Amino acid sequence: MNLFEQFALGLQSLWFTLRECGRPRLWAPFLVPFVVQCAGIGLLALTAHPLLSWLLAPIVVRLAGPDALHYPGLFVHLPGLALTADLLVVSTLGALASGAATRLFASVFEGRSPSLREAWSETARRAWPLLVAQLPVTLLLVGIGFALDAFGQARVSSITRAMLPAVQMVLGTLVQALFAYVPALVMLGRLGPLLAWRRVPAMWGRGLLPALVIFVVALLVLLPMQLLARQSGAVVARGLPELTMALTALLFASSMVASWLVSGAATLVWMSALSGHVRETR
Amino acid sequence: MKASRVLVVLAAGVLAAGCGDEQLWQRWQAERSLEEARRAADRVLVQPTIARDADWDRADRLFAQVTERWPVSRWVSVPGKYGADIARVSGVAAVSRARLAALRGNDERTLLAWRAAVREVAPLPRLSAEAAQGELRLLERTGRFEEQLDVLRRLGEDIPLRDPAAGWLTDVLQAPLRWARELRARGRAEEGEPVLRRAVALVRAALEGERAPGPAPLLDALSEYAAARGDFTGSMAALRARLAGARDNDERRAVALTLATRALDLGQADSALACARWAESLGGRTVGRAQLRRAEAWEQLGQPDSALDAYSEVTDRPRDPENLASIARFQRGLLFERLGRWEAARAEWRTLQAMNPAGELSFLSMQKIVQHHLDRGEVELAQYEARRAIADLEQLLTMNADPNVQRQARLVRAEMLAGTGASRQAVEAFLDLWDRFPGDSVAEAAGLRAARMARFQPGLGVRADSLLERLATRAVSTEIRRAAAADRTPGR
């Protein structure tokens, strides 16, 4: 496949995935982490309550400083705190949800009726490989965040510092695109984590450009809410602190939409152009 | 088996939940309630003129709820990490409530609100000082100058010099000075001396617990107290200690400038000149003041030409946010008068009146012009200048509603009339001042002056007696009451 064909494949897989957006079952796996994320926002907003403060207050102070224990200071830090807590959700429930969604999308694209029960039971069987195989992506994303933070705190120009979020976004997108087919390799290719990682570079020849197209489109879905969530300080200053909870929930909702899109499109690319290649090289 | 495990985990969770900090939750709720009240107040303040009474009342009620639910007096003494924070939040609500009342525009209610705030936040030094300042501003604006003295006394005597969170409180340190100054303005300077003596003792006691040379606000206050008592040597000693602890050029230039002022007060013109030049060389916003001190030092040294040059440097400055040009012009006028250059002196003062008509120095310069002619027996010229000044004052009175300006302008107008022999009109002018500012000792002094003048006016004797009777029995100022009682006609 030449580059144009790969590009077209990425766009077409997105289009075919979008056409399936009316099927509630395809959304079901992602609702689980979303509900947990929303519950997390609620719990963070109640950090000061005696039922939670013994556990959450020290963590919140550690992550965001003593101001985060004050009203409305907590709401300025809420999106950041929620995103930090989300790393745990994404690396566990998120990984499992993407596995189940891959199975469901595969059924749909094969022309069969998707069975939620089957998808979940298969995900449960392959839970450990799924979790372990997707762990490097989370670790790499966290590592990039820490490295760029450390770089930003060093003596760099203000222009460089202003560009760091954009750099983080580009690097994050690239890393996710590199590992885009891991859920498909585990769930559809039935590979263990080690074998899946070994196959990942082999995917890049035909699959990296479609994956990049998919992730750039997903980023476009996510970006407006990410930019809005960064304005939590302004929202609080305008006297609407609790609105940052809704903003954070919307950010997670857009993240759910992006994950759904990526899962469906990556599954379709894998089924169209990569599954045979895996079988050949097995 | 599984169910029992779940129960154990739940029990552990409930036990752990008891470890949560109840005070943290109370602080959170207090802060949230305060924020809600602030939002309600902000909504009103966006368009205060069209806000409904219900909106004002709601904001007021929300602030009141914070102070009632978390009373400062209770939370300030509660042991724990967050008790003091909760007390502070409640105190902020009390002060905000008074501020809201001030913006609503009803002076009596505002005064009650400030007094309630003062009572409420009494255990919190910084907020106490803030509330007292609010009350002071209102009393000053409404011309209740006598009650101001009581607030200044409370500010200087009842509030600790240091707030645990905010540090040394400048308002509290300045209060004895303001109090003594107000007493002096009312002719009760001897009452100010014990005030300052007590303030010096308090500051010295506070300095004992500090590392030498001591915190800057304390040394500054000590220097000012000593200067206000006429102890310029003590004042300079405090300033030298302050200079030793100065951290940057901003502090150094401020201290150098004050040292120059004290040296002038002590008659050490050479030192004053050196200090003023040093302050100038350090640059910054105090250059204008340093130039003024230099001019004064040249005057003391008997070098009028150098002094005039220095004054010109002040008046020629392109930016003058502190209005130092008025001081320079007034002092240059005085210097011209001493040098016998009367036309130049009058021109300076006229320029000053045109540039800053409501300034205190403008009123003083009007009186200086009239007095100059009276001193030389030039009665007609004095009357001409007085008529001209009175016309200017009448115009000012119609255009400027500031109580301070109104009081000062009416006093000067009455003085002008009295000085130029228009005694009957002067009596009416002094009485008008007293009527407008009842309870103010300056206005009461004007009333006494009116009564004394009326006694020598044909047909006004009875009125004079009734005025003296009123002053002797009802004047707020003890001095005025005593003087009026002594002036009353025996047998009446």
Side-chain angles (χ1 to χ4, degrees):
Chain A
M1 267 204 299
N2 64 33
L3 289 177
F4 291 109
E5 285 171 330
Q6 288 183 35
F7 186 78
L9 176 62
L11 286 178
Q12 275 196 331
S13 58
L14 280 167
W15 170 241
F16 280 101
T17 303
L18 272 174
R19 280 169 49 176
E20 304 300 333
C21 69
R23 290 177 188 262
R25 281 182 193 179
L26 292 179
W27 291 94
F30 294 104
L31 282 176
V32 178
F34 179 65
V35 168
V36 172
Q37 284 162 339
C38 290
I41 295 170
L43 290 177
L44 278 171
L46 287 170
T47 297
H49 195 280
L51 282 173
L52 300 167
S53 63
W54 61 276
L55 173 70
L56 290 182
I59 299 171
V60 164
V61 170
R62 179 92 182 160
L63 290 172
D67 178 52
L69 285 188
H70 286 274
Y71 184 96
L74 175 73
F75 292 102
V76 177
H77 301 285
L78 187 73
L81 286 167
L83 285 174
T84 308
D86 186 46
L87 284 173
L88 197 66
V89 179
V90 165
S91 58
T92 53
L93 290 175
L96 297 177
S98 67
T102 303
R103 181 69 265 163
L104 288 168
F105 274 113
S107 301
V108 168
F109 293 136
E110 282 165 357
R112 292 187 285 122
S113 174
S115 163
L116 205 55
R117 181 179 284 183
E118 273 177 29
W120 276 123
S121 60
E122 196 174 336
T123 304
R125 279 197 301 278
R126 304 203 57 78
W128 283 113
L130 261 177
L131 290 172
V132 175
Q134 293 188 79
L135 199 58
V137 183
T138 312
L139 292 177
L140 272 170
L141 291 175
V142 172
I144 288 168
F146 276 123
L148 289 176
D149 272 355
F151 181 69
Q153 278 163 16
R155 292 190 62 169
V156 291
S157 73
S158 56
I159 297 173
T160 311
R161 195 170 290 126
M163 285 175 67
L164 288 181
V167 172
Q168 185 173 3
M169 204 156 53
V170 170
L171 287 177
T173 306
L174 186 64
V175 165
Q176 290 182 84
L178 288 172
F179 291 88
Y181 307 108
V182 167
L185 283 167
V186 175
M187 291 297 291
L188 307 178
R190 298 182 182 281
L191 301 180
L194 284 174
L195 271 175
W197 292 337
R198 282 173 61 187
R199 293 284 184 275
V200 162
M203 306 283 106
W204 294 342
R206 290 174 153 197
L208 185 58
L209 186 60
L212 278 171
V213 171
I214 292 165
F215 274 98
V216 167
V217 172
L219 191 65
L220 292 178
V221 173
L222 205 55
L223 202 58
M225 283 318 299
Q226 271 189 345
L227 292 175
L228 208 58
R230 279 190 201 152
Q231 303 304 315
S232 58
V235 172
V236 171
R238 288 184 70 88
L240 302 162
E242 283 81 1
L243 190 63
T244 54
M245 290 171 69
L247 277 183
T248 315
L250 277 174
L251 175 64
F252 286 140
S254 63
S255 167
M256 180 178 76
V257 173
S259 301
W260 179 88
L261 203 56
V262 166
S263 270
T267 305
L268 191 53
V269 172
W270 193 87
M271 289 169 72
S272 313
L274 305 173
S275 57
H277 181 69
V278 170
R279 277 196 292 275
E280 284 163 20
T281 55
R282 184 175 273 186
Chain B
M1 189 65 189
K2 272 189 176 176
S4 63
R5 277 185 192 168
V6 170
L7 281 174
V8 168
V9 170
L10 275 175
V14 171
L15 276 175
C19 301
D21 198 332
E22 174 61 27
Q23 276 191 17
L24 177 64
W25 183 236
Q26 288 295 327
R27 184 181 76 175
W28 174 268
Q29 287 180 299
E31 286 174 338
R32 195 175 55 187
S33 302
L34 176 64
E35 196 63 26
E36 191 189 351
R38 275 182 179 155
R39 282 203 293 270
D42 285 347
R43 272 196 289 277
V44 170
L45 296 178
V46 169
Q47 283 283 1
T49 47
I50 60 164
R52 294 171 306 159
D53 277 349
D55 298 330
W56 286 98
D57 290 341
R58 181 171 175 269
D60 179 68
R61 198 172 56 249
L62 288 170
F63 281 125
Q65 277 170 8
V66 179
T67 54
E68 282 160 17
R69 191 168 165 199
W70 294 277
V72 175
S73 53
R74 188 188 145 214
W75 283 98
V76 80
S77 55
V78 170
K81 258 165 61 178
Y82 304 112
D85 281 358
I86 297 167
R88 188 189 51 77
V89 170
S90 179
V92 168
V95 171
S96 304
R97 194 182 176 199
R99 232 179 243 136
L100 187 73
L103 292 165
R104 202 168 178 176
N106 183 320
D107 289 338
E108 277 312 310
R109 273 194 202 170
T110 307
L111 191 59
L112 288 176
W114 278 122
R115 285 180 176 160
V118 166
R119 277 195 304 278
E120 185 71 29
V121 302
L124 306 169
R126 188 181 67 78
L127 288 170
S128 288
E130 211 175 314
Q133 286 289 356
E135 192 183 347
L136 263 179
R137 275 194 300 275
L138 177 73
L139 292 172
E140 191 175 354
R141 190 174 59 73
T142 52
R144 294 160 79 162
F145 300 104
E146 257 348 279
E147 285 166 84
Q148 257 185 285
L149 290 179
D150 189 45
V151 180
L152 282 169
R153 183 197 60 72
R154 270 193 280 127
L155 189 57
E157 286 188 346
D158 299 349
I159 301 173
L161 299 179
R162 184 176 193 160
D163 182 89
W168 300 104
L169 299 171
T170 319
D171 288 341
V172 179
L173 288 165
Q174 289 291 318
L177 284 168
R178 285 181 67 186
W179 188 10
R181 205 180 304 132
E182 291 293 331
L183 285 168
R184 202 178 312 123
R186 285 158 177 74
R188 293 152 60 183
E190 71 284 356
E191 289 177 48
E193 174 56 23
V195 171
L196 291 170
R197 210 170 36 234
R198 188 180 166 281
V200 167
L202 266 177
V203 170
R204 283 200 192 286
L207 274 170
E208 275 171 19
E210 300 292 329
R211 203 168 49 186
L218 290 187
L219 291 170
D220 284 342
L222 199 60
S223 159
E224 288 181 56
Y225 296 158
R229 295 175 71 200
D231 174 17
F232 297 113
T233 315
S235 173
M236 286 185 80
L239 284 173
R240 284 193 199 99
R242 172 84 172 76
L243 201 56
R247 286 166 302 183
D248 52 31
N249 273 352
D250 278 345
E251 285 191 25
R252 274 183 211 105
R253 73 170 69 96
V255 179
L257 198 57
T258 320
L259 269 170
T261 311
R262 297 288 180 274
L264 280 170
D265 293 336
L266 265 175
Q268 296 174 351
D270 286 324
S271 300
L273 198 57
C275 289
R277 278 181 170 153
W278 183 37
E280 261 184 89
S281 72
L282 292 171
R285 280 179 295 178
T286 53
V287 167
R289 289 206 170 270
Q291 286 167 338
L292 268 181
R293 293 296 94 81
R294 182 155 56 84
E296 287 158 11
W298 281 124
E299 276 198 67
Q300 266 195 14
L301 285 167
Q303 301 275 351
D305 289 338
S306 301
L308 288 171
D309 286 346
Y311 283 131
S312 297
E313 284 176 43
V314 180
T315 54
D316 294 347
R317 295 174 75 226
R319 288 183 69 245
D320 186 22
E322 291 178 280
N323 199 15
L324 297 176
S326 291
I327 303 173
R329 283 190 192 285
F330 184 75
Q331 294 190 173
R332 192 157 60 180
L334 290 177
L335 182 56
F336 278 137
E337 192 186 19
R338 278 200 300 277
L339 293 171
R341 294 164 64 180
W342 170 243
E343 293 301 325
R346 191 174 54 185
E348 282 296 345
W349 288 333
R350 287 259 164 84
T351 311
L352 168 59
Q353 288 160 25
M355 287 174 73
N356 186 18
E360 204 168 328
L361 289 176
S362 290
F363 296 133
L364 208 53
S365 64
M366 285 176 183
Q367 288 172 299
K368 291 292 297 177
I369 291 173
V370 175
Q371 194 61 43
H372 174 86
H373 293 301
L374 287 175
D375 290 346
R376 276 156 188 74
E378 300 162 351
V379 179
E380 281 185 7
L381 276 174
Q383 281 177 336
Y384 167 77
E385 293 290 357
R387 277 196 299 276
R388 184 184 166 138
I390 287 167
D392 288 347
L393 288 168
E394 298 283 0
Q395 195 179 2
L396 183 65
L397 284 167
T398 56
M399 292 174 73
N400 195 323
D402 184 313
N404 274 318
V405 174
Q406 287 277 329
R407 185 177 66 154
Q408 194 66 19
R410 284 175 199 282
L411 184 64
V412 174
R413 185 179 61 169
E415 295 280 3
M416 293 273 183
L417 290 167
T420 52
S423 304
R424 202 169 269 270
Q425 287 164 287
V427 169
E428 294 305 327
F430 280 125
L431 286 176
D432 174 53
L433 176 61
W434 186 27
D435 284 344
R436 283 172 191 272
F437 298 96
D440 172 44
S441 59
V442 173
E444 282 176 349
L448 183 64
R449 183 97 188 268
R452 282 173 175 167
M453 287 177 75
R455 288 169 78 186
F456 302 102
Q457 296 297 312
L460 290 182
V462 177
R463 194 173 174 199
D465 285 341
S466 107
L467 286 172
L468 287 170
E469 182 65 30
R470 253 175 74 196
L471 283 164
T473 52
R474 290 186 219 162
V476 175
S477 162
T478 325
E479 291 298 312
I480 301 289
R481 261 206 319 267
R482 204 175 296 142
D487 280 9
R488 270 186 299 183
T489 311
R492 293 218 184 206

